[in-house]
């Protein structure tokens, strides 16, 4: 039996299915209070109910929360609710992700949809949660990234990919940005590729994947204060490996911060 995580509070974004759902289940199983984020209040509530009824999770440990990451104002609302109700947050798991659509799509905020949902929303959320994220040992941010970040490039002069769009390139760019963001010295953060799993993103990778619970195991390990982490480290499942070179360049980290701050209208 793994060590208890009782007394710890963890926010998991995109917790209504796939790796996020399994991560929430495993964390609650070990006694953590899980802020379970979904796109809508109904989806978040349904996921919490499903955990109680099918996984035997203690409902008292689950707090469903909602925000549609396609709208940055909802991300702000989510952050304010968390800071208000959970002034001490031990871990933030930035997991919510979508596969980029076939056709170039902009959100109401004017951002390419995968870049916003997979990266910008998490950038904004992480910055706004700074007052609640504990600076005590063990407090951390875990970005659920992807091995596909290696094939990505941040198009600095066209981050919205208006001129040339391909869904794979857009998805890879969003994952690279998330991985670079973990190296931001202002937060203690790591990123992890949980392996190719049976989730809604599987078509981007191929036809076969491990169960989502297997991917969640690698995420939960990094949430555990007993797992010592190095800021900006990147893990491929349980192994620490070097990320794409861009993710360790101080210049790229600063440049991405400037770009993201501009796009979300919040300079950190």
């Amino acid at each position: 039996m793994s060590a208890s995580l009782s007394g710890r509070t963890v926010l998991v974004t995109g917790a209504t299915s796939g790796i996020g759902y399994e991560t929430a289940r495993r964390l609650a199983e070990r006694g953590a209070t899980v802020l379970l984020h979904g796109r809508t209040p109904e989806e978040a509530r349904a996921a919490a109910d499903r955990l109680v009824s099918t996984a035997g999770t203690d409902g008292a440990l689950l707090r469903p929360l909602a925000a549609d990451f396609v709208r940055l104002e909802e991300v702000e609302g989510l952050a304010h609710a968390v800071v208000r109700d959970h002034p001490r947050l031990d871990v933030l798991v930035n997991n919510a992700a979508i596969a980029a659509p076939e056709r170039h799509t902009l959100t109401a905020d004017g951002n390419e949809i995968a870049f916003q949902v997979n990266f910008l929303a998490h950038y904004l959320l992480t910055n706004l949660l700074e007052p609640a994220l504990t600076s005590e040992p063990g407090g951390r941010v875990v970005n659920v990234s992807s091995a596909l970040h290696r094939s990505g490039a941040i198009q600095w002069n066209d981050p919205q990919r208006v001129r040339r769009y391909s869904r794979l390139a857009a998805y890879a760019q969003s994952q690279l940005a998330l991985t670079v963001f973990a190296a931001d010295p202002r937060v203690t953060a790591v990123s992890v590729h949980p392996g190719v799993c049976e989730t809604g993103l599987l078509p981007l990778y191929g036809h076969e994947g491990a169960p989502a619970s297997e991917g969640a195991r690698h995420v939960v390990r990094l949430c555990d204060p007993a797992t010592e982490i190095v800021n900006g480290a990147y893990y491929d499942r349980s192994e620490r490996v070097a990320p794409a070179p861009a993710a360790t360049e101080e210049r790229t980290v600063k440049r991405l911060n400037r770009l993201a701050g501009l796009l979300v209208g919040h300079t950190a």
Side-chain angles (χ1 to χ4, degrees), residues 73-86 125 128-129 266:
E73 63 180 12
E74 291 197 21
V75 177
E76 290 188 28
L78 171 67
H80 296 319
V82 172
V83 172
R84 185 188 66 225
D85 301 334
H86 304 277
L125 183 63
L128 295 177
L129 288 178
H266 269 260

Side-chain angles (χ1 to χ4, degrees), residues 111-172:
N111 300 306
E112 188 276 314
I113 193 167
F115 197 55
Q116 177 164 322
V117 172
N118 300 356
F119 166 62
L120 291 171
H122 286 127
Y123 172 88
L124 178 60
L125 183 63
T126 306
N127 281 320
L128 295 177
L129 288 178
E130 219 166 302
L133 271 165
T134 174
S135 54
E136 287 164 38
R140 59 194 56 181
V141 176
V142 179
N143 290 342
V144 180
S145 174
S146 155
L148 284 176
H149 87 275
R150 294 184 189 286
S151 66
I154 297 164
Q155 296 287 336
W156 300 106
N157 54 3
D158 184 24
Q160 312 305 358
R161 296 186 172 260
V162 176
R163 292 196 285 280
R164 278 183 55 210
Y165 178 79
S166 103
R167 66 182 304 215
L168 206 54
Y171 178 76

